[in-house]
Amino acid sequence: MTAEIIDGKYISSQIRNELSAEVASLHSKTGNRPGLAVVLVGNDPASATYVRNKGIACDEVGITSETILLPSNSNEEDVLNTIKDLNKDDRFNGILLQLPLPSGINEDSMLLTIDPNKDVDGLHPYNVGRLMQGSPIFIPCTPAGVQELLLRSGYDPSGQHVVICGRSNIVGKPLSALLSQKLKGANATVTVCHTGTKNMQDITKLADILIVAAGRPNMIDKEMLKPNTIIIDVGINRIEDNTRKSGFRLIGDVDFNSVKDIARAITPVPGGVGPMTIAMLLKNTVQSFRNMHNLPDEKLI
Ligand code: GUN
C-alpha cells in the first residue's frame, strides 16, 4: 500500500482562509489590523526566501507586516536596538527574529530581549517555560504546525508513541513538551532521539508517529520503521541539482521513496511542514493581537 500524503500546502491554505475571515472581523471591531515585524540579519539565501514568504502570507490574510533588513556585519548592539524599538512600536504586536543569526551574534541574548507578549515565535525563555508547564501563550510555529497537521489529518497523538529525531530549541525540544502535555491534541508518550542515541533504529521502530527534525538528508529509510508508521518530515535540505534553474532542490530528512510503501502516511518535502510553520506564525500573530486588545478567542471559550 502506498502511504497517504499529508498535504501541508492544502491544510495551511484552509488555516489561512480561516485567519483571513478572523482578521477581517477583528478589523471591523477595532479598526486595527494585527502587525508583524520580521528582522533578518545578513543575506543567507534560504532565510531571505523564508522571510519573503512570511511577508507574502501576511499580506494574503490582511496582517500588516514589515521586514527590517540588517547587514551581515551588524553587531549585537545593532540587533538589540532594533528589537527594543520594535518592542515599543504599537504598530506591531508580533516580532520575529529570523534564525540562524550570523556568527558573533548571540541568539539567546537577542531572543531574551524580545517582549514575551510580542514573541509570536514562542522562543523567549518565558514562553518556553509556559509551554513546559502546560500553559502556553505562544507555541513555537513548527511544533504547532506539526500538531495541527496530525490533528487535521485525523491522527490524534493521544496515547500514541511519538518518536522525535532531533533536539533543537526550535523544533525537537518544544515539540516533545507540546505533545507530552496532558492536554487535548497531545497526551502522547514521547521519546527524543539525537546524535548521542545508540542504535537509533531500535527506537524509531517503536514509533506510531515518527517526527524527524535532524537536518540530515534522507537519514530515515524503511529499515528504521515498523509498518504503518505516520511520518512527519520536518527536514528542509537544499541539495545541488543542475537540472533546476535555481541549481538546487529541497529534500527532507526521510528517504521518501524508501518509506512510501511501508508508512501509513507521510508529509512531502516541500509542501508538508514548511507551509504549516508560516500558517502558525500568522495564527500566533492574530492571537497576540487578541491578547493586546483583550479580545479572547471565541473558539476557546
Ligand atoms: N529559522 C528557521 N525556522 C525558524 C523559525 O521557526 N523561527 C525563526 N525565528 N527562525 C527560523
Side-chain angles (χ1 to χ4, degrees):
M1 204 191 77
T2 303
E4 173 202 341
I5 300 294
I6 300 177
D7 187 346
K9 212 169 155 189
Y10 176 70
I11 295 173
S12 70
S13 76
Q14 285 182 322
I15 295 170
R16 289 202 306 273
N17 285 343
E18 291 161 19
L19 289 170
S20 288
E22 192 174 345
V23 170
S25 149
L26 289 168
H27 181 238
S28 69
K29 270 189 199 134
T30 65
N32 284 320
R33 293 182 175 280
L36 174 68
V38 179
V39 181
L40 174 61
V41 189
N43 41 26
D44 174 67
S47 292
T49 304
Y50 296 146
V51 165
R52 197 166 43 249
N53 289 341
K54 285 167 187 176
I56 293 168
C58 282
D59 283 350
E60 272 174 19
V61 303
I63 292 175
T64 309
S65 80
E66 191 171 310
T67 300
I68 294 96
L69 297 172
L70 298 178
S72 48
N73 62 357
S74 303
N75 58 30
E76 290 196 339
E77 207 185 332
D78 299 326
V79 182
L80 286 178
N81 287 337
T82 302
I83 294 172
K84 285 178 186 163
D85 287 346
L86 293 170
N87 284 341
K88 287 183 278 184
D89 192 330
D90 288 341
R91 290 175 303 155
F92 303 114
N93 53 276
I95 301 170
L96 180 140
L97 176 63
Q98 184 67 26
L99 303 175
L101 294 170
S103 60
I105 304 183
N106 184 286
E107 254 170 46
D108 292 346
S109 40
M110 299 303 113
L111 292 173
L112 200 56
T113 312
I114 296 175
D115 178 347
N117 294 311
K118 293 190 176 190
D119 172 38
V120 288
D121 228 8
L123 298 179
H124 186 286
Y126 174 78
N127 283 316
V128 176
R130 294 285 302 225
L131 175 63
M132 285 300 292
Q133 292 185 330
S135 50
I137 312 280
F138 299 115
I139 300 170
C141 304
T142 302
V146 169
Q147 184 186 39
E148 198 78 31
L149 267 183
L150 288 169
L151 294 174
R152 289 189 185 230
S153 309
Y155 299 116
D156 191 329
S158 181
Q160 302 293 298
H161 186 187
V162 174
V163 175
I164 300 171
C165 298
R167 57 178 159 186
S168 67
N169 286 342
I170 295 189
V171 186
K173 283 188 217 162
L175 189 55
S176 70
L178 177 64
L179 296 183
S180 57
Q181 293 299 331
K182 193 172 181 178
L183 289 174
K184 213 165 157 267
N187 206 27
T189 302
V190 178
T191 303
V192 179
C193 297
H194 45 71
T195 46
T197 302
K198 289 186 185 141
N199 301 326
M200 196 182 288
Q201 73 272 21
D202 292 347
I203 297 167
T204 54
K205 272 189 171 159
L206 299 174
D208 302 311
I209 298 173
L210 179 66
I211 305 172
V212 193
R216 284 177 52 203
N218 290 341
M219 70 171 273
I220 300 290
D221 63 23
K222 67 176 180 207
E223 306 302 328
M224 301 178 77
L225 305 176
K226 69 176 179 188
N228 287 323
T229 306
I230 292 139
I231 304 176
I232 306 290
D233 188 352
V234 183
I236 302 179
N237 305 290
R238 279 184 175 212
I239 60 157
E240 206 180 294
D241 183 345
N242 292 326
T243 66
R244 305 276 176 107
K245 210 170 113 196
S246 62
F248 69 87
R249 72 191 155 92
L250 300 178
I251 64 166
D253 289 355
V254 178
D255 183 342
F256 186 92
N257 286 325
S258 167
V259 306
K260 70 178 190 317
D261 294 326
I262 171 172
R264 172 149 169 214
I266 184 167
T267 55
V269 178
V273 174
M276 293 299 291
T277 298
I278 297 186
M280 293 300 110
L281 173 65
L282 305 177
K283 192 168 174 209
N284 281 349
T285 305
V286 172
Q287 185 58 50
S288 176
F289 182 87
R290 284 189 177 280
N291 297 348
M292 284 186 185
H293 287 78
N294 228 347
L295 290 165
D297 186 349
E298 289 90 3
K299 292 192 287 291
L300 297 177
I301 297 172

